[in-house]
Amino acid sequence: MKGIVFTIFNKMIEDNFGLEVWDGLIERTKPKSEGVYTTAETYPEAELLNYVVALSETTNIDAYDLIKTFGEFTFPILAEKYPVFVEGKELKEFLLSVHDVIHVEVLKLYPEAQLPTFTYEDVSENKLVMIYESKNDLRAFAEGLINGAASFFKKGINQELQEINVEDGFCVKFTLLIS
Amino acid sequence: MTTELQEIAILKKALEREKKARQISEELLESKSRELYFAKEKIANQYKELEGVLEKLKEQQTMLVQSEKMASIGQLSAGIAHEINNPIGFIKSNIENFKEVTPTILGLFNLYNEFLKIEKIDSFKEKLDEIESYKEKNDINFIFEDITGLLDETVEGLDRVREIVSGLNNFSHIDEGDKLIHANINDLIDSTIKVVKNEIQYKAEIKKEYSALPSIDCYPGQLNQVFMNLIVNASQAIKELGIIIVKTSFEDDHVVIRIEDNGSGISSKNIKKLFTPFFTTKEVGDGTGLGLSISYSIVKNKHKGSIQIESEEGKGSVFSIRIPTNLKSINGTRDE
């Protein structure tokens, strides 16, 4: 997992729970990185999941909700860092560009990044189906990012997630109703 | 107090982490900079290599154009040999005739010499009679008439040989340094027709319909090759005595050359492939399949012009070439 995810997670914990909690998470989970993250490096995904589990235990907030919140928190930071991907776009247009434009650009910058794939079904003006496929189950993060995107583009969104059984990895159908 | 110390300790740890992260980032930046430097160096080397390859390709293309030109001449060589042999044959026979009559003429010359040396006036008449009888006996008047004709014919034959040889020279000649030369297209076509005349004279009559043209900057040797390809192709499309009309005109700052034949025409299926290298409908050995693709490249790339074809099966074809008159300004100041 790319370091940028960790640095944003670090920021979210510090902004919402304080430096002490972040320090506590590092102490408790003892990551190999020792909690030292830079955006361009790659770190084990387990480090993030361990933080989430530990934080969930500390705060009594469901781990799924924590990851979803993390997604919501992440979107505006990414949008600010890479404005070219959001400028002049509407929410749906943006979502439709995730797989063919944004992920392509991400891979140019970080060739070893492991990204989920999205396939689309553009049902109607306000309805979009996105099929998420990934080796790792980060649907909560995707759900949070989509919520974050909706807020960023000042739209309301309703997401319905439906798991599709596949042999390898995870597959989830996101049915999005934009309002 | 303890809380403050704890806070300081946490901040210290956070600071340590930040420092380490910065160090890692800097190392990463350095390593990326190095990678970038080497990548740049590699690209520069590859660029140099590619430049070399491009240069080689250009040389090979020039060689290919030249060898195609020679191949075309090779195909015409039998005709050209005949064209040269014919005048050489009659020149030789004329000179042999001349050699044969030379002693007779010298005999007459000697008689006149003797006549000039006569001192006694009485002998004049006698000598003159002898001369007259010699002239009559040897048909001197006929010899003189014949010699004049023989010499005229010989000079004409030699001129023909010289024309063919200079025409061939124009063809095989690689344009010096590939430089643009000021030339008149009508003259170029004329020199082409001289070379191909023998090849086509039993197949087709060439009708020239020239308009007055301005001289233009062009690569004459290469245009000769284009005209030769098109005229020979036209004659090959003709089964029995046909007509090839070569028409030139000046339109909108372009010299336009139309080569029209009333031969078999080209099927629409083949028209598409006409300028493809190695495409030929001729028998193996009769054509390289490069003539038209090279002609196309000469007109399009070297002269920034165009070639158009109109053809109807069974009726004939028209090839129209348009060449701009201001090639130098299109190319800028460089001589391409």
Side-chain angles (χ1 to χ4, degrees), chain B residues 300-311:
Chain B
K300 182 101 202 239
N301 302 332
K302 299 294 283 190
H303 292 88
K304 311 293 176 214
S306 64
I307 299 192
Q308 275 187 337
I309 315 154
E310 294 158 54
S311 188

Side-chain angles (χ1 to χ4, degrees), chain A residues 19-20 22-23 26-27 34-38 40-41, chain B residues 10-11 13-14 16-18 20-22 24-25 28:
Chain A
L19 187 55
E20 205 181 326
W22 176 237
D23 193 59
I26 294 167
E27 288 292 324
E34 297 176 351
V36 177
Y37 299 107
T38 64
E41 293 279 34
Chain B
I10 289 169
L11 280 170
K13 278 196 310 196
E16 279 305 313
R17 282 196 298 271
E18 284 303 321
K20 271 189 193 167
R22 200 181 76 178
I24 292 168
S25 293
L28 196 69

Side-chain angles (χ1 to χ4, degrees), chain B residues 19 23 28 81 97 110 121-122 139 142 145 169 179 187 202 209 216 218 220 232 234 259 268 280 286 322 327-328:
Chain B
K19 275 184 182 172
Q23 197 188 338
L28 196 69
N97 279 344
N110 285 337
I121 202 151
D122 302 348
D139 217 349
F142 171 77
E145 266 173 42
N169 258 344
K179 274 195 178 140
D187 295 342
Y202 303 111
E209 292 179 11
I216 61 166
C218 61
V232 170
I259 296 173
S268 55
T280 180
D286 280 352
R322 286 172 66 86
L327 184 59
K328 232 176 207 170

Side-chain angles (χ1 to χ4, degrees), chain B residues 116-144:
Chain B
L116 289 175
K117 284 177 192 158
I118 294 174
E119 288 171 357
K120 288 179 187 168
I121 202 151
D122 302 348
S123 308
F124 272 22
K125 174 87 171 73
E126 197 183 319
K127 200 53 158 180
L128 277 177
D129 286 346
E130 194 188 335
I131 289 172
E132 275 315 309
S133 115
Y134 182 87
K135 277 165 86 175
E136 215 167 295
K137 189 182 148 204
N138 291 294
D139 217 349
I140 288 288
N141 285 341
F142 171 77
I143 289 178
F144 281 173

Side-chain angles (χ1 to χ4, degrees), chain B residues 219-269:
Chain B
Y219 302 95
Q222 299 193 2
L223 284 182
N224 274 340
Q225 196 180 351
V226 174
F227 302 144
M228 179 175 78
N229 278 327
L230 295 181
I231 294 174
V232 170
N233 278 352
S235 78
Q236 286 170 341
I238 292 170
K239 284 197 184 88
E240 283 165 12
L241 208 59
I243 294 179
I244 298 171
I245 302 170
V246 182
K247 206 177 200 173
T248 60
S249 56
F250 180 55
E251 298 166 12
D252 308 324
D253 290 329
H254 282 74
V255 168
V256 182
I257 305 108
R258 276 168 59 94
I259 296 173
E260 186 179 342
D261 67 68
N262 58 354
S264 55
I266 307 156
S267 71
S268 55
K269 186 183 87 191

Side-chain angles (χ1 to χ4, degrees), chain A residues 125-155:
Chain A
E125 202 185 328
N126 297 320
K127 189 175 177 182
L128 178 67
V129 172
M130 292 171 77
I131 310 283
Y132 162 97
E133 279 178 274
S134 175
K135 279 184 184 163
N136 311 305
D137 186 6
L138 279 170
R139 73 185 81 175
F141 189 54
E143 191 183 345
L145 280 172
I146 294 169
N147 279 341
S151 304
F152 182 87
F153 289 104
K154 300 188 168 46
K155 291 277 181 186

Side-chain angles (χ1 to χ4, degrees), chain A residues 28-163:
Chain A
R28 278 179 65 186
T29 59
K30 302 207 181 333
K32 204 179 155 199
S33 68
E34 297 176 351
V36 177
Y37 299 107
T38 64
T39 53
E41 293 279 34
T42 305
Y43 303 91
E45 198 177 283
E47 289 193 11
L48 183 79
L49 297 178
N50 290 343
Y51 291 144
V52 171
V53 171
L55 185 65
S56 170
E57 283 168 9
T58 314
T59 57
N60 277 330
I61 304 171
D62 183 52
Y64 189 97
D65 289 339
L66 275 175
I67 297 174
K68 195 167 84 175
T69 309
F70 175 45
E72 287 162 5
F73 183 83
T74 300
F75 190 87
I77 294 174
L78 292 179
E80 197 189 345
K81 201 168 158 70
Y82 306 107
V84 66
F85 297 121
V86 291
E87 271 164 8
K89 283 199 173 90
E90 290 287 335
L91 174 62
K92 198 168 126 190
E93 195 186 352
F94 168 80
L95 292 171
L96 284 166
S97 74
V98 170
H99 186 72
D100 289 330
V101 180
I102 298 175
H103 282 180
V104 172
E105 292 302 317
V106 171
L107 285 173
K108 282 184 198 166
L109 215 53
Y110 306 118
E112 75 281 20
Q114 288 187 342
L115 300 169
T117 60
F118 283 107
T119 42
Y120 299 92
E121 195 189 324
D122 193 354
V123 185
S124 68
E125 202 185 328
N126 297 320
K127 189 175 177 182
L128 178 67
V129 172
M130 292 171 77
I131 310 283
Y132 162 97
E133 279 178 274
S134 175
K135 279 184 184 163
N136 311 305
D137 186 6
L138 279 170
R139 73 185 81 175
F141 189 54
E143 191 183 345
L145 280 172
I146 294 169
N147 279 341
S151 304
F152 182 87
F153 289 104
K154 300 188 168 46
K155 291 277 181 186
I157 195 145
N158 183 283
Q159 303 194 48
E160 197 187 297
L161 276 62
Q162 184 191 347
E163 177 142 15

